């Protein structure tokens, strides 16, 4: 079987609870999971049992939600969470986001390479530029222009990779009899100077079994595609339909070709959320219960749904537990600026209530399937076989049971259909992703 016929899966770890920020209130959930490192380890071990290729932690260095009713979006510290997981797992990849704008390249290089060595070559760095004003304020900085942020990203990634390669592969000699711990002739400074960053080097860390951590990228636009095509082996993307997903994947591949790379050496992971139950009705009830914990959000969701279909809607003008009246629906249309709108309109035309349509996740950031394991598997299969992605970054609605249910009920279906591997291909993240060995940068000066 060709590797193209097998999808790759990443488990997106949020803040210990799941994709829905009210999940901390669901029966069975540990309300204190945010500070319970064991909960991250437990979910990662379940994902490894299910042969997930990696766990992925997104991050923004700022508090961006109201902690009254909601949980944080990310763990307390992604690198510390991955360190805990690294000590309790053996095969699953460990990928975290760290900003190229608000971190010095030397610190990035040191943290990720140390974790890569500790985990025996299972680490990846998701390099992002960060445009959040709240994050900038935490560093006493302003939000830089898009051009500056991406110029910084190019400098940062090149310096990081150069630092990763500052030891030759055989520099660590461990010659006990000769008294040589390492051959200093094979450990050299990098002496790179850019407009924004510089580093002398070297790092005090030898290579891991995969050479250096795998570079991931998240972010769209021409600049994001250039960053992915030049450096990344993995891309996290947020398309909402097959057509836009396929276009984004093709754009990534074309960018790789422009930089003289094999387009198959970059794997695109599409974001995907799920709610699992024995029936679709039960899965929707689960999502309705999650919605009920934050009643103050419902008016905003109803209003937003109205903007998606071109009709002013509010909780005061419509009964959200009834289908929309025909005289309203006749004027509805799918907002061409929002790819989620077509599905929202389709569900309303089928006679679903507004609450049911919202429970289907039509305004969520990623596509949502609320249904049975077969329905979830069908969705993943359709996208994958359509060439929309190389795999998925999956986010359960509620972590405490969602990860186990996916592993125990969805993964076997994908394996039976020949869509997902049954065993890890190797011990390193590169081996399991099927991407080439890399170590350091070939250039001896910063290029753009």
């Amino acid at each position: 079987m060709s590797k193209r016929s097998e999808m790759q899966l990443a488990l997106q770890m949020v803040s210990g609870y799941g994709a829905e920020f009210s999940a901390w209130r669901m029966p069975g959930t540990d309300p204190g999971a945010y500070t319970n490192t064991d909960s991250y380890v437990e979910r990662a071990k379940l994902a490894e049992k299910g042969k997930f290729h990696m766990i992925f932690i997104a991050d923004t260095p700022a508090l961006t939600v109201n902690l009254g009713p909601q949980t944080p979006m990310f763990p307390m510290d992604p690198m510390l969470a991955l360190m805990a997981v690294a000590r309790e797992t053996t095969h699953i990849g460990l990928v975290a986001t760290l900003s190229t704008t608000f971190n010095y390249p030397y610190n990035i290089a040191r943290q990720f390479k140390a974790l890569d060595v500790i985990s025996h070559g299972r680490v990846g760095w998701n390099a992002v530029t960060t445009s959040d004003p709240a994050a900038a304020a935490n560093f006493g900085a302003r939000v830089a222009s898009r051009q500056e942020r991406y110029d910084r990203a190019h400098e940062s990634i090149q310096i990081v990779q150069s630092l990763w390669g500052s030891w030759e592969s055989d520099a660590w000699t461990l010659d006990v009899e000769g008294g040589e711990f390492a051959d200093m002739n094979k450990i050299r400074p990098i002496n790179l100077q850019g407009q924004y960053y510089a580093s002398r080097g070297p790092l005090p860390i030898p290579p891991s079994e995969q050479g250096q951590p795998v570079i991931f990228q998240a972010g769209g636009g021409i600049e994001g595609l250039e960053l992915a095509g030049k450096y990344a082996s993995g891309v996290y993307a947020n398309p909402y339909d097959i057509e836009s997903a396929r276009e984004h994947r093709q754009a990534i591949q074309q960018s790789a070709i422009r930089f003289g790379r094999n387009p198959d050496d970059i794997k695109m992971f599409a974001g995907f959320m799920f709610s699992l139950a024995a029936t679709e009705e039960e899965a929707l009830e689960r999502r309705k219960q999650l919605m009920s914990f934050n009643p103050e959000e419902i008016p905003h969701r109803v209003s937003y749904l109205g903007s998606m279909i071109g009709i002013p809607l509010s909780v005061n003008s419509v009964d959200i537990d009834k289908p929309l009246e025909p005289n309203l629906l006749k004027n509805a249309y799918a907002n061409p600026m929002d790819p989620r709108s077509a599905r929202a309109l389709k569900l309303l035309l089928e006679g679903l209530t507004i609450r049911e349509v919202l429970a289907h996740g039509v305004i969520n950031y990623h596509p949502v399937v609320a249904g049975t394991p077969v329905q979830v598997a069908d969705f993943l299969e359709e996208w994958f076989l359509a060439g929309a992605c190389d795999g998925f970054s999956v986010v359960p609605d509620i972590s405490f049971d969602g990860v186990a249910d996916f592993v125990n009920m969805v993964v076997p279906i994908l394996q039976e259909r020949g869509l997902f591997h049954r065993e890890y291909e190797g011990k390193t993240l590169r081996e399991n992703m099927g991407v080439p060995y890399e170590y350091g940068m070939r250039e001896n000066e910063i290029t753009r």
Side-chain angles (χ1 to χ4, degrees), residues 249-314:
R249 181 167 175 265
Q250 290 171 349
I252 293 168
Q253 293 177 327
Q254 290 165 2
S255 181
I257 292 171
R258 285 197 298 273
F259 288 101
R261 300 178 61 197
N262 183 338
D264 293 330
D265 289 344
I266 306 179
K267 313 299 181 185
M268 190 186 102
F269 296 81
F272 167 71
M273 296 179 180
F274 66 89
S275 293
L276 277 173
T279 66
E280 182 177 320
E281 290 73 23
E282 290 177 15
L284 289 173
E285 285 302 316
R286 176 179 169 107
R287 294 188 62 82
K288 288 180 187 177
Q289 185 176 0
L290 285 165
M291 289 169 54
S292 72
F293 291 134
N294 285 327
E296 67 278 3
E297 284 293 312
I298 292 178
H300 302 295
R301 295 186 178 202
V302 172
S303 176
Y304 194 91
L305 178 63
S307 69
M308 293 170 69
I309 61 170
I311 298 176
L313 296 179
S314 74

Side-chain angles (χ1 to χ4, degrees), residues 72 80 166 186 208 304 322 325 327 335 376 409 414 436 441:
L80 292 179
S166 57
K186 297 182 178 181
S208 75
Y304 194 91
K322 291 182 179 179
E325 295 180 5
N327 65 318
N335 187 332
V376 170
M409 293 188 284
L414 297 175
M441 290 288 290

Side-chain angles (χ1 to χ4, degrees), residues 70-102:
Q70 303 180 61
T71 56
M73 297 177 67
F74 312 113
M76 292 183 292
D77 185 284
M79 298 303 289
L80 292 179
L82 289 184
M83 179 63 198
V85 170
R87 300 296 294 161
E88 299 290 335
T89 55
T90 57
H91 286 78
I92 196 164
L94 313 166
V95 184
T97 297
L98 214 59
S99 170
T100 58
T101 304
F102 300 117

